[in-house]
Amino acid sequence: MVVTDVAGPAAGGELPTGKTRDALRAAHLYYLQDLTMDAIAKELHTSRSSVSRLLSHARATGLVEISIHSPLDLPSRLEQEILERHEVSAHVVPVPDHASDVDRLERVALSAARILTRFIDSNQTIGVAWGSTMSAMSRHLAPKATHNSEIVQLNGAGNLRTTGILYASELLRRFGDAFGARVQQFPVPAFFDDPATKEAFWRERSTRRLLDLQASMDVAIFGIGSPFAEVPSHVYQGGYLERADYQALSRDGVVGDVATVFYRADGSTDGIALNSRATGPDFTVLRRAPRRICVVSGQAKLPGLTGALEAGLITDLIVDEGTARRLVERSVDDLGSDRAD
Amino acid sequence: MVVTDVAGPAAGGELPTGKTRDALRAAHLYYLQDLTMDAIAKELHTSRSSVSRLLSHARATGLVEISIHSPLDLPSRLEQEILERHEVSAHVVPVPDHASDVDRLERVALSAARILTRFIDSNQTIGVAWGSTMSAMSRHLAPKATHNSEIVQLNGAGNLRTTGILYASELLRRFGDAFGARVQQFPVPAFFDDPATKEAFWRERSTRRLLDLQASMDVAIFGIGSPFAEVPSHVYQGGYLERADYQALSRDGVVGDVATVFYRADGSTDGIALNSRATGPDFTVLRRAPRRICVVSGQAKLPGLTGALEAGLITDLIVDEGTARRLVERSVDDLGSDRAD
DNA sequence: TCTCTCCCTGCACGTTTGTTCAATCGGCTT
DNA sequence: AAGCCGATTGAACAAACGTGCAGGGAGAGA
């Protein structure tokens, strides 16, 4: 790949004739002045096709940002109710009820990736978990230029079969690329075999450095793991957990996990043995991040989602319409017994 | 015109089936999920044409906002230089050099209207001048919902032939409509005949109320008047000034006006007689507004623009490319003698 | 109840836009 | 200097889109 942009062949040259410059100008003419691509082609002395490509480039690289604001007086009733009941700012993604789970995930991830843009800024530490939701999201991120931001892996991804590095690092790299941020990997297994090993490891200075970063996150982004759903999450298929682990989780009444840390329906984590071997951040650490974005798709994750809400892990929720609807209906049923169980 | 939206026929009904809701959903599916209009039509159980119209509606009413960010590392060199030389944040509007003045004005106004959106917010007092530039702009404003904002007319518009009310009020109304803001008119002539009348009027309580509003503006928006350009500004054609006035302006070395307050090339206003009869805000008042947006198109306004810059009237400049280029070239010539004259 | 009017709908057409393909350009190697 | 390779271009085609138009439905007024 040859550098043909940013400063052009000769930095400091007279005519900074970069592709990005043209794209910027085309975007201005197209989106701000409503010219047709044909007209723009003439102004730029090129063909209409090239203008079409320039505009694609402009959108793909985040030069153009398209955002949607619901008028403040009518946020979708679902979002309104979720806000009232859970004190969480919700973004409901419209998806037809009959969509397949795969479609649904894909579309929520696409929307989430676009929405995410507005939360990302310069000089931020951004914690990122992994899993099928995050992976889908990473493939659709709308780039946004930032300075001095940092992507931090929230939990290890190694398992019995692979180091998980390829998978997780690819995912993180996409986040890093999209926002021009440095990437801090966390090269540990998802679960240690022995809690003692984890503790030892946690005392290592290189590990501490990463944990410190996690503790000072500005934004955390994660999905919800649902170990007992009919379609188990990625984490539960890849050889991360053994049969005995499942039984233990079941006994403990676990309904889900965030970054491989497990919790019950009431949001509690105490006494869940597996957590002492998990590598994700303790919820007290996670909750330090002022913004905690959770992306959820599919009703199978509903129990996990409500648990995470109970645990106060979420400040911003991106969720598909069907699941949001169930969430609200369910909350209605619970009214009064809300804090009782 | 019948109200068919916002709350629907029966406020509090079960299915808030408003046009805006559909538009919002369509916009989400189109811009956030990249569905084709055809696909959206199916999801919404309507025809593709209707979706096209819904999306138009969404854009026209500001539900969808499209903005363009130049990557921070390469702002157009022009904008960069203007920032350095004048401490003004510039937005250069690309316009081909061979465009007619009418085209140029129209295109700058269109871009300016779109760019303006990001400066407007709730709970603001927004001062608006008038003139051909502002008028063109008013016809293209991208709506944005705000609460409790207020549009304040900066200067009177009456003249010897009309009260100017139709013209100016239409202009202000468009601003008010676009941002859902109250409109405060200023029903006085552009220039009083007698300074004493103005002073008397200025003591009226109803006038004071308006002047107080002006003094607490958050944003001011104005063009530049250029009395001696070959194509004089609106103000100078409509019977506002008499021959003797022109001669006086010429004698005083006036290069332009902002909201009918005149100034010289160095930005000074002292001793310009006409100002004592003018109804626009004194520059000391104007400069109190933290954001002062100036929209300029056409090189004829260059002297006026440099004067306004000298006077420190501008914090944000929206200007066509050709004029921006001249501005920078001119500043280069002046280097060293910058503060000397 | 009927009618008038206005707005909304879907169709059909013309325009605008995205994408494929072959040709060309420019840099780098041999 | 010739040749290779990947990136970029414009033409042609196909898909997606905007809009004028006629038909239909809901509400206001007679």
Side-chain angles (χ1 to χ4, degrees):
Chain A
M1 196 189 303
V2 180
V3 174
T4 57
D5 200 358
V6 174
E14 273 307 279
L15 292 176
T17 169
K19 174 175 172 183
T20 300
R21 273 205 134 69
D22 284 347
L24 215 43
R25 172 175 275 254
H28 196 127
L29 296 172
Y30 191 77
Y31 290 107
L32 257 31
Q33 292 186 24
D34 290 342
L35 299 199
T36 132
M37 294 186 179
D38 230 338
I40 298 172
K42 275 171 200 132
E43 296 206 2
L44 296 191
H45 307 293
T46 180
S47 72
R48 196 188 49 73
S49 337
S50 296
V51 174
S52 172
R53 282 184 277 250
L54 278 179
L55 288 172
S56 295
H57 176 75
R59 284 186 301 259
T61 56
L63 263 47
V64 173
E65 189 191 331
I66 301 182
S67 55
I68 297 180
H69 314 277
S70 25
L72 304 163
D73 43 338
L74 62 110
S76 105
R77 197 168 61 257
L78 282 176
E79 295 179 356
Q80 182 68 29
E81 300 214 353
I82 293 174
L83 176 63
E84 284 166 11
R85 286 198 223 294
H86 302 285
E87 294 180 351
V88 157
S89 148
H91 301 263
V92 172
V93 177
V95 179
D97 288 334
H98 56 75
S100 73
D101 275 351
V102 179
D103 265 13
R104 188 177 302 265
L105 173 66
E106 196 63 21
R107 290 175 59 168
V108 169
L110 186 48
S111 299
R114 306 262 165 101
I115 292 171
L116 180 60
T117 304
R118 80 176 76 172
F119 296 121
I120 300 296
D121 227 320
S122 291
N123 305 309
Q124 283 184 335
T125 302
I126 302 154
V128 173
W130 53 270
S132 44
T133 306
M134 297 305 297
S135 173
M137 224 176 127
S138 74
R139 267 177 271 115
H140 298 296
L141 293 170
K144 173 168 182 175
T146 70
H147 294 302
N148 194 34
S149 277
E150 199 142 31
I151 308 290
V152 182
Q153 184 172 344
L154 283 182
N155 54 336
N159 65 17
L160 289 180
R161 301 188 203 137
T162 81
T163 60
I165 296 239
L166 259 76
Y167 172 80
S169 82
E170 173 70 9
L171 192 158
L172 288 211
R173 194 186 51 70
R174 291 208 196 98
F175 274 85
D177 285 357
F179 305 127
R182 288 185 302 282
V183 168
Q184 298 289 346
Q185 303 212 17
F186 197 3
V188 292
F191 300 97
F192 283 94
D193 286 335
D194 181 349
T197 315
K198 172 182 164 186
E199 279 169 35
F201 215 93
W202 255 225
R203 285 191 298 268
E204 287 285 319
R205 278 183 302 175
S206 67
T207 309
R208 288 231 61 83
R209 191 181 61 84
L210 200 118
L211 296 177
D212 288 347
L213 273 177
Q214 289 184 355
S216 63
M217 277 185 301
D218 299 291
V219 184
I221 311 163
F222 50 88
I224 296 273
S226 51
F228 301 115
E230 286 152 30
V231 186
S233 301
H234 189 124
V235 200
Y236 306 104
Q237 299 184 306
Y240 292 90
L241 295 176
E242 301 182 8
R243 175 171 295 259
D245 296 325
Y246 271 103
Q247 291 168 347
L249 289 177
S250 176
R251 268 199 313 279
D252 287 334
V254 161
V255 299
D257 81 84
V258 163
T260 55
V261 176
F262 298 92
Y263 52 83
R264 303 193 189 80
D266 62 357
S268 66
T269 59
D270 53 287
I272 296 176
L274 199 47
N275 285 346
S276 61
R277 302 197 278 119
T279 54
D282 195 274
F283 289 172
T284 56
V285 171
L286 183 56
R287 278 191 293 253
R288 252 180 241 166
R291 204 175 278 281
R292 310 182 292 277
I293 302 165
C294 178
V295 182
V296 181
S297 135
Q299 304 185 2
K301 304 215 167 174
L302 196 49
L305 173 57
T306 54
L309 285 167
E310 285 297 317
L313 299 183
I314 303 175
T315 65
D316 293 84
L317 175 63
I318 300 173
V319 61
D320 69 277
E321 191 169 26
T323 307
R325 207 179 303 122
R326 297 287 180 105
L327 176 64
V328 167
E329 286 166 6
R330 191 174 157 139
S331 300
V332 171
D333 298 344
D334 288 352
L335 274 186
S337 67
D338 219 14
R339 315 254 145 197
D341 60 336
Chain B
M1 197 187 305
V2 181
V3 175
T4 57
D5 201 358
V6 175
E14 272 309 278
L15 291 177
T17 169
K19 175 174 171 183
T20 299
R21 272 206 135 68
D22 283 346
L24 214 43
R25 173 175 276 253
H28 196 125
L29 295 172
Y30 191 77
Y31 290 108
L32 256 33
Q33 291 186 23
D34 290 342
L35 298 200
T36 123
M37 294 187 180
D38 229 338
I40 298 171
K42 274 170 200 133
E43 296 206 2
L44 296 190
H45 307 293
T46 180
S47 71
R48 195 186 51 74
S49 345
S50 297
V51 174
S52 172
R53 284 184 274 252
L54 278 178
L55 288 172
S56 295
H57 176 75
R59 284 186 301 258
T61 56
L63 295 178
V64 173
E65 189 192 333
I66 300 182
S67 55
I68 297 181
H69 313 278
S70 25
L72 305 163
D73 42 339
L74 62 111
S76 103
R77 195 167 64 256
L78 282 175
E79 296 179 357
Q80 182 66 29
E81 300 214 353
I82 293 173
L83 176 62
E84 284 167 10
R85 287 198 223 293
H86 303 286
E87 295 180 352
V88 157
S89 147
H91 301 263
V92 172
V93 177
V95 179
D97 289 334
H98 55 76
S100 74
D101 274 351
V102 179
D103 265 13
R104 190 177 299 267
L105 174 66
E106 196 64 20
R107 291 176 57 168
V108 169
L110 185 48
S111 299
R114 307 261 166 102
I115 292 171
L116 180 60
T117 303
R118 80 176 76 173
F119 296 120
I120 301 295
D121 228 321
S122 290
N123 305 309
Q124 282 183 336
T125 301
I126 301 155
V128 174
W130 52 271
S132 45
T133 305
M134 298 304 298
S135 173
M137 223 176 128
S138 75
R139 268 178 270 114
H140 297 296
L141 292 170
K144 173 168 181 174
T146 69
H147 295 300
N148 195 34
S149 277
E150 201 143 28
I151 307 291
V152 183
Q153 184 172 342
L154 282 182
N155 53 335
N159 65 18
L160 290 180
R161 301 187 203 140
T162 80
T163 59
I165 296 240
L166 261 76
Y167 171 82
S169 83
E170 173 70 8
L171 192 159
L172 288 211
R173 194 186 51 70
R174 293 208 196 97
F175 273 85
D177 284 357
F179 305 127
R182 290 184 302 282
V183 169
Q184 298 289 346
Q185 302 212 18
F186 196 4
V188 292
F191 301 96
F192 284 94
D193 287 337
D194 182 347
T197 317
K198 172 182 163 186
E199 278 170 36
F201 215 93
W202 254 224
R203 286 190 296 268
E204 287 286 318
R205 278 183 303 174
S206 66
T207 308
R208 289 231 60 83
R209 191 181 61 84
L210 200 117
L211 296 177
D212 289 346
L213 272 178
Q214 288 184 355
S216 63
M217 276 186 301
D218 300 291
V219 184
I221 310 164
F222 51 86
I224 295 273
S226 51
F228 300 116
E230 286 153 30
V231 185
S233 301
H234 189 124
V235 199
Y236 305 105
Q237 299 184 305
Y240 293 90
L241 294 176
E242 301 182 8
R243 176 171 295 258
D245 296 326
Y246 271 104
Q247 291 168 347
L249 289 178
S250 177
R251 268 199 312 279
D252 287 334
V254 162
V255 298
D257 80 84
V258 164
T260 55
V261 176
F262 298 92
Y263 53 82
R264 302 193 191 81
D266 64 357
S268 67
T269 59
D270 52 286
I272 296 175
L274 198 47
N275 284 347
S276 62
R277 302 196 279 118
T279 53
D282 195 275
F283 288 171
T284 56
V285 171
L286 182 57
R287 277 190 293 252
R288 254 180 239 167
R291 204 175 279 280
R292 310 182 291 277
I293 302 165
C294 178
V295 183
V296 181
S297 136
Q299 304 186 2
K301 304 213 165 174
L302 198 48
L305 174 56
T306 55
L309 285 168
E310 284 298 317
L313 299 184
I314 303 174
T315 65
D316 292 85
L317 174 63
I318 300 174
V319 62
D320 69 276
E321 190 169 28
T323 307
R325 207 180 303 122
R326 296 287 180 107
L327 176 64
V328 167
E329 285 165 8
R330 190 173 159 141
S331 300
V332 170
D333 298 344
D334 288 352
L335 275 185
S337 67
D338 219 14
R339 314 256 144 195
D341 60 337

